[in-house]
Amino acid sequence: MNDHYTYLLINFLTVLFPILLSFDKRVHFYKSWKYIFPGLLLTGLSFLLWDYIFTLYQVWSFNDQYVIGLYFLNLPLEEILFFVTVPFSCIFIYACLNVYVKKNLLGRFSSWITLVLIVLSAVLLGMYYDRVYTLITFGLLLVIGLYVFVRKPVFLGRFYLAYLISLIPFYLVNGLLTSIPVVLYNDAQNIGFRVGTIPFEDHFYSLTMLLMNVLFFEYFKKRNHVS
């Protein structure tokens, strides 16, 4: 296989099974697609802006050997698709768990989990405010963490469970991207700690992005049912 299709193939495999399984008779995930795409657009645009800024500050870069060569604002096409395929697949996990796991297992702990994330964000911001990736990642997480801590959405416990499950494909996908490597990280702009080949910040950058998508997903779903 031509190496230039590597990142594109990773995107394709990320979204393949969620699309094929969207027609499961119990989940009927395809019926929820219309609630997903507005959030994908809103969240994707904001994270792509940060992504572009990260390339300017050399937080990360992309290995030309593993992309097809189509760039928009310093970002390869595959990186733009990443902000569609990954959230889509994780919302699929979230929707499946809502159907197959009736009990809200983490519901009673959701406020405590959020509080831990807020404190962690504040501590790391104080320690590593001069590192762009750490600053933006935990700054965003602090803001959205405070929002959900105050609003206390009823689905927050279910989101945290879905996020924990999503770490399985996260380690597979991000492990490939960082070990091949397709994405090259500048450790001068992060705390320098990695889980395997994956920067520590990636876990929380992903969490923030997915939580924003689920918040929008639930908002548009609720608005449609009310109307």
Side-chain angles (χ1 to χ4, degrees):
M1 185 190 74
N2 191 323
D3 286 347
H4 289 297
Y5 292 100
T6 300
Y7 197 0
L8 196 63
L9 179 60
I10 290 172
N11 269 302
F12 174 74
L13 293 177
T14 298
V15 80
L16 175 61
F17 291 105
I19 289 178
L20 293 178
L21 296 174
S22 290
F23 302 93
D24 175 89
K25 291 181 180 180
R26 290 189 62 183
V27 180
H28 293 297
F29 187 58
Y30 70 95
K31 294 182 179 179
S32 298
W33 288 1
K34 59 185 176 182
Y35 310 128
I36 296 174
F37 291 113
L40 284 179
L41 177 63
L42 293 169
T43 304
L45 287 175
S46 62
F47 273 79
L48 284 170
L49 173 62
W50 291 120
D51 207 338
Y52 170 64
I53 293 172
F54 286 168
T55 62
L56 297 181
Y57 283 89
Q58 298 181 331
V59 172
W60 57 47
S61 59
F62 304 93
N63 192 334
D64 289 338
Q65 181 179 348
Y66 300 109
V67 297
I68 61 175
L70 291 177
Y71 282 79
F72 302 90
L73 296 175
N74 288 348
L75 302 175
L77 173 64
E78 295 89 341
E79 177 74 355
I80 296 171
L81 292 175
F82 182 85
F83 288 97
V84 176
T85 59
V86 170
F88 180 91
S89 301
C90 290
I91 294 174
F92 171 75
I93 293 173
Y94 170 78
C96 288
L97 289 174
N98 285 344
V99 172
Y100 287 103
V101 181
K102 296 300 183 183
K103 187 174 181 179
N104 188 1
L105 298 175
L106 297 181
R108 59 191 292 191
F109 307 109
S110 60
S111 291
W112 287 105
I113 295 171
T114 304
L115 186 58
V116 168
L117 293 172
I118 290 171
V119 172
L120 176 67
S121 298
V123 170
L124 291 177
L125 283 172
M127 294 175 62
Y128 300 103
Y129 60 87
D130 58 340
R131 306 188 186 189
V132 175
Y133 191 22
T134 310
L135 174 67
I136 298 304
T137 296
F138 290 101
L140 290 172
L141 181 57
L142 179 61
V143 170
I144 197 168
L146 288 170
Y147 172 80
V148 298
F149 187 76
V150 172
R151 296 299 298 269
K152 291 181 171 53
V154 296
F155 53 84
L156 191 57
R158 293 188 175 277
F159 164 77
Y160 285 135
L161 179 62
Y163 172 72
L164 289 175
I165 300 298
S166 77
L167 286 176
I168 298 171
F170 168 85
Y171 281 117
L172 179 60
V173 171
N174 279 45
L176 287 171
L177 292 176
T178 54
S179 63
I180 291 175
V182 176
V183 184
L184 305 165
Y185 287 80
N186 176 9
D187 283 344
Q189 297 294 355
N190 59 55
I191 67 175
F193 174 70
R194 299 196 180 208
V195 179
T197 56
I198 302 171
F200 181 69
E201 287 87 345
D202 270 16
H203 301 75
F204 301 94
Y205 193 72
S206 175
L207 187 152
T208 306
M209 178 180 67
L210 299 178
L211 180 51
M212 286 181 64
N213 271 284
V214 168
L215 285 169
F216 279 124
F217 172 66
E218 291 291 351
Y219 167 76
F220 286 112
K221 186 168 64 172
K222 182 178 178 180
R223 191 178 71 168
N224 181 77
H225 290 164
V226 170
S227 61

